[in-house]
DNA sequence: TTTCAACCTGGAGTGCGCTCCAGGTCAAGC
DNA sequence: GCTTGACCTGGAGCGCACTCCAGGTTGAAA
């Protein structure tokens, strides 16, 4: 049972983002106090961990919504969820490969500058 | 000497993006035919390769502009350029680490689903 | 000579993912 | 009881990086 500030701190999402995620239906069933304030459970927090993983790997929000919705529909969507994650993972793999390649280019370019700047103080 | 379509094909940027890059001053000094059409040189193309590397690694356009501007200023900005690239490379490294970690999480989650779905057809 | 696809310009529009705001409510500590 | 900071809502606004459009021009092939 955590207040919004604590959920934000633990998940790394801002308060506004948490409210936004609830508004668009990504996060649903968040409890409230009698006064109308949000109360986050450990369950909510583990959803946030999942969202963080998906977001960090570049999944669009619309697809996260679809994943969350499938989960809410129950056990019979397990295969669909797995499929969705596998397709995403494949995209992430490509992204990772590209990033590594371009990182190598970048490092190469930096080495080139070092050859100019660094003076290579005579062998 | 390449027409816009060819520059787009080779660089992977759209025609609109090439025009946009020129408009904001990222790409400068692109030649023209007497009729006003763009003519891209090998030099322009190698700039585009650099921009693709920087963009693919998440550098904001404003910073690419700064880099391009430094280059145009001449040899005395070499150290600044190197610095800029090094700082960027450091960020990319972090990004790469995060992406790898989250990718591992994702794969773990998929394995979890496989444990449910896949039935593990008895050892 | 005509055609027509590729190109030009300035400027408006788009999609994403938040982020900010005004104006109000709640509740813990003094 | 009062203060004060955390929280609430609906809705507007923002920053980025393009992308699209209208209306016009160019130039190579048939």
């Amino acid at each position: 049972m955590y207040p919004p500030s604590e959920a934000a701190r633990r998940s790394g999402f801002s308060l506004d983002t948490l409210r936004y995620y609830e508004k668009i239906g990504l996060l649903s069933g968040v409890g409230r106090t009698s006064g109308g304030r949000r109360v986050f459970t450990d369950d909510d927090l583990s959803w946030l961990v999942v969202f963080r993983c998906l977001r960090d790997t570049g999944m669009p929000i619309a697809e996260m919504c679809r994943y969350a919705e499938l989960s809410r529909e129950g056990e019979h969507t397990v295969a669909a969820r797995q499929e969705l994650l596998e397709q995403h993972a494949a995209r992430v793999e490509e992204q990772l490969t590209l990033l590594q390649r371009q990182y190598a280019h970048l490092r190469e370019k930096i080495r080139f500058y070092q050859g100019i700047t660094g003076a290579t103080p005579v062998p």
Side-chain angles (χ1 to χ4, degrees), chain A:
Chain A
M1 296 307 205
Y2 313 98
S5 54
E6 185 64 16
R9 202 186 60 70
R10 296 201 182 206
S11 67
F13 291 114
S14 75
L15 287 172
D16 267 321
T17 299
L18 292 179
R19 288 193 271 260
Y20 169 67
Y21 281 179
E22 199 181 341
K23 178 150 53 178
I24 62 175
L26 179 55
L27 211 55
S28 82
V30 176
R32 300 300 177 111
T33 66
S34 57
R37 291 171 177 218
R38 269 168 267 260
V39 180
F40 292 83
T41 63
D42 282 313
D43 227 69
D44 293 326
L45 282 211
S46 42
W47 267 110
L48 289 176
V49 168
V50 173
F51 293 151
R52 177 139 288 281
C53 171
L54 297 179
R55 205 200 67 162
D56 283 351
T57 51
M59 182 182 283
I61 281 191
E63 204 170 335
M64 287 200 256
C65 285
R66 182 158 154 63
Y67 179 73
E69 210 175 327
L70 282 172
S71 293
R72 270 176 246 130
E73 279 175 30
E75 289 303 306
H76 69 283
T77 65
V78 161
R81 279 181 262 164
Q82 188 186 339
E83 168 97 5
L84 191 154
L85 291 190
E86 262 164 11
Q87 281 176 7
H88 179 59
R91 286 194 300 272
V92 175
E93 218 165 318
E94 279 178 43
Q95 187 192 342
L96 210 39
T97 305
L98 175 63
L99 195 55
Q100 278 161 345
R101 195 163 27 131
Q102 298 289 41
Y103 177 69
H105 283 170
L106 187 55
R107 279 293 172 204
E108 212 174 307
K109 196 146 187 73
I110 290 171
R111 267 200 306 283
F112 163 77
Y113 276 124
Q114 278 168 344
I116 294 175
T117 288
T120 326
V122 188

